[in-house]
Amino acid sequence: MNTIDNLNEQIILDYKSALPQYTVMDRYYRGDHDCIYFANDGNRNNVAIHNFIAKFCDEEVNYCLNNPISYVSKTGDPEIIKAIDKYLTHWKTNHNSILMRNLEIYGKCYNLHYIDAKGRFCERLLTPLNAIAYRDHDGIPQRFIHFYTLKYDTSEYYDIYYPDGRIETYKGNGLWNTQKQPFKGVPVSICEMDDISETVFSKIRTLQDSYNQVLSDQVAIIESYKNAYLIMTGVSIDSEMTEKLKTQGLIVLPSNGKASWLMKEMNDGYITSMLTTLRDSMYSATNHIDGNEKLVSNASSLALRTRLIFLEQRSKAMYDYVSDAIYDRLERLFEYLYLKGVGDYDVANLEVKFTPSVPVDTVSVVQTISQLGDKLSTETALSLLPFIENPAIEIEKIKKERADLEEVDLDKLPQVSNG
């Protein structure tokens, strides 16, 4: 079997060298955090984890993508919107949410485009845990490697994608299979932040560890009775009795024996203040707000929106990163549709619109649209309404309903008798 070339070997080495860092980021999102345990002296070693990293990542995804992404044709062409709706309808509804979540966790993710066994256009979402891309000076992918295993198979596989359409599949380090894919170039788009320091993990990891440490220390102290000393008088204590105290919590005293607790003075106010400071620092570092804070009962939607202004600034950057990946996706979709002979569409004719999941004063929006009148196109006006998922499709529905009503012959409708 053929062996892998030198460039691919170097790419794989880069993947393996970066893998530990991304593995730690994945661990922290899953709730497996680094936290110092108490010495294993027979006492409890429980660790309390409050996973702010996962909380903030999920909050940003939900804030940005709880409402579906909509597409607006810049030239008012409804066919291009219909094509997107038709040929992506088999995808999971949370596909974009998973894409953004991967970006939130690792600061980088990959979208591999392919045609499935049914001939449908698909996108496989990959991460730095199982893939790596090699790009030229212009940022164009020149090679892409996807690592994976197969069910009931202990072998390690990886696919290498080339600009000429080749896909080489390796089993171990030996070439196992070669095939062709129909797209131009390497069929992958890369969604990444400008710098890995922008991730939630990078911003608050040390604060997260400190919070968990303080919390775990206090839990362990209480569980191990380290907040008090047991004072015993009139009784002799040996190692066997000490062990029974630890495991059974039971002791039999002679008639003249006494036992009591000497409690440590614990400044719970200081501990609470430390946890609050660490928590506030994490919220500040990520531009999030604490949703558990008590709000004024009559707060308007505008007032609530004002509290989210800093989160919106971060979300705007996330929109930009994800938008780049979506435009790459649509460009590849239109290439697929051209190959099928369905149509020749231009991605430059599209605008991707995000609607954040925040309170919206719909009445005010409708009034503004009404006041603008014919100065605003119908499609643009509908795109401003959060409950309209796809403005172009909505316009087609309106036209169809009106056409159906015009076809109704009122003279042939059943007459209602007054008697």
Side-chain angles (χ1 to χ4, degrees):
M1 291 190 293
N2 295 332
T3 57
I4 194 166
D5 66 28
N6 291 334
L7 177 57
N8 287 332
E9 282 185 348
Q10 186 58 55
I11 297 172
I12 292 175
L13 286 175
D14 290 344
Y15 161 77
K16 290 181 178 179
S17 65
L19 188 59
Q21 177 186 21
Y22 291 114
T23 301
V24 172
M25 299 171 84
D26 182 74
R27 279 201 300 107
Y28 267 70
Y29 177 80
R30 310 294 171 193
D32 181 8
H33 295 191
D34 296 333
C35 193
I36 300 173
Y37 284 79
F38 272 86
N40 189 13
D41 56 0
N43 295 311
R44 295 176 182 268
N45 296 324
N46 292 348
V47 173
I49 301 294
H50 190 158
N51 197 346
F52 284 95
I53 290 176
K55 171 181 171 62
F56 292 156
C57 287
D58 292 343
E59 279 183 356
E60 290 180 14
V61 172
N62 293 333
Y63 177 82
C64 294
L65 295 177
N66 252 10
N67 295 315
I69 294 173
S70 61
Y71 306 96
V72 178
S73 171
K74 296 178 182 178
T75 59
D77 180 11
E79 295 304 317
I80 191 171
I81 308 300
K82 289 180 180 178
I84 295 172
D85 185 64
K86 179 179 179 180
Y87 289 97
L88 298 185
T89 190
H90 62 282
W91 288 18
K92 290 183 178 180
T93 54
N94 65 339
H95 185 89
N96 290 320
S97 295
I98 297 174
L99 164 62
M100 183 174 283
R101 186 185 67 191
N102 289 340
L103 178 63
E104 290 276 3
I105 297 172
Y106 310 104
K108 176 191 294 185
C109 57
Y110 305 101
N111 309 321
L112 180 64
H113 304 116
Y114 66 99
I115 298 175
D116 68 5
K118 297 181 180 180
R120 301 176 300 185
F121 176 77
C122 296
E123 181 178 84
R124 181 174 289 117
L125 301 177
L126 303 174
T127 72
L129 295 180
N130 55 18
I132 187 172
Y134 168 73
R135 292 175 284 185
D136 60 19
H137 292 296
D138 296 323
I140 307 300
Q142 296 301 313
R143 295 193 188 185
F144 180 72
I145 306 180
H146 172 210
F147 304 86
Y148 60 95
T149 57
L150 299 176
K151 194 172 183 180
Y152 308 124
D153 190 340
T154 58
S155 301
E156 294 182 355
Y157 296 84
Y158 53 92
D159 295 336
I160 304 179
Y161 293 77
Y162 296 89
D164 60 4
R166 278 183 301 135
I167 307 175
E168 292 180 348
T169 300
Y170 285 80
K171 184 176 181 179
N173 283 329
L175 183 62
W176 188 56
N177 186 32
T178 301
Q179 54 185 313
K180 293 278 288 185
Q181 55 89 14
F183 298 113
K184 297 177 183 178
V186 178
V188 67
S189 65
I190 304 169
C191 183
E192 64 180 333
M193 298 179 181
D194 293 333
D195 194 291
I196 199 170
S197 63
E198 294 183 48
T199 60
V200 171
F201 171 85
S202 299
K203 287 178 178 292
I204 68 169
R205 179 190 178 179
T206 56
L207 293 169
Q208 173 76 84
D209 285 343
S210 298
Y211 187 96
N212 289 340
Q213 190 64 62
V214 174
L215 193 62
S216 299
D217 285 351
Q218 300 313 308
V219 171
I221 285 173
I222 294 172
E223 288 188 336
S224 302
Y225 294 104
K226 289 188 175 182
N227 60 335
Y229 293 106
L230 178 61
I231 300 175
M232 304 183 68
T233 57
V235 62
S236 177
I237 298 294
D238 55 20
S239 58
E240 182 179 353
M241 184 176 292
T242 301
E243 190 61 32
K244 286 184 178 180
L245 277 170
K246 287 182 178 180
T247 57
Q248 301 177 9
L250 177 65
I251 185 172
V252 178
L253 298 175
S255 58
N256 62 337
K258 293 181 180 180
S260 62
W261 287 104
L262 175 62
M263 303 297 295
K264 293 180 182 178
E265 184 178 348
M266 300 179 67
N267 190 339
D268 57 340
Y270 173 77
I271 297 169
T272 301
S273 176
M274 176 63 71
L275 290 173
T276 300
T277 300
L278 291 169
R279 184 189 64 215
D280 291 347
S281 296
M282 285 188 280
Y283 274 101
S284 176
T286 55
N287 287 338
H288 280 244
I289 62 170
D290 189 352
N292 295 322
E293 288 183 0
K294 194 171 183 179
L295 299 176
V296 180
S297 60
N298 60 346
S300 66
S301 61
L302 181 59
L304 295 174
R305 190 70 177 263
T306 302
R307 298 184 75 237
L308 294 168
I309 187 169
F310 295 112
L311 178 59
E312 286 196 352
Q313 291 173 356
R314 175 172 173 81
S315 298
K316 175 60 171 63
M318 300 303 297
Y319 288 149
D320 292 340
Y321 299 138
V322 174
S323 291
D324 290 341
I326 291 177
Y327 279 117
D328 288 342
R329 171 198 301 167
L330 295 175
E331 190 170 9
R332 195 68 72 177
L333 170 64
F334 294 159
E335 181 184 350
Y336 162 80
L337 295 179
Y338 181 77
L339 292 173
K340 284 177 63 72
V342 173
D344 187 5
Y345 302 109
D346 186 359
V347 72
N349 186 26
L350 278 174
E351 181 182 357
V352 178
K353 294 186 72 68
F354 295 86
T355 305
S357 181
V358 294
V360 177
D361 189 347
T362 308
V363 175
S364 297
V365 175
V366 172
Q367 289 176 347
T368 301
I369 293 173
S370 177
Q371 291 171 1
L372 289 172
D374 57 5
K375 296 178 182 178
L376 201 65
S377 70
T378 303
E379 186 172 357
T380 301
L382 290 175
S383 70
L384 299 175
L385 300 173
F387 53 84
I388 300 296
E389 183 174 335
N390 197 315
I393 300 299
E394 191 67 25
I395 291 173
E396 291 299 310
K397 290 180 180 178
I398 293 172
K399 289 180 180 178
K400 185 177 184 305
E401 287 182 358
R402 289 176 178 173
D404 291 343
L405 287 173
E406 289 177 358
E407 292 177 359
V408 175
D409 189 345
L410 298 178
D411 293 333
K412 294 182 178 180
L413 290 176
Q415 299 296 319
V416 180
S417 175
N418 293 328

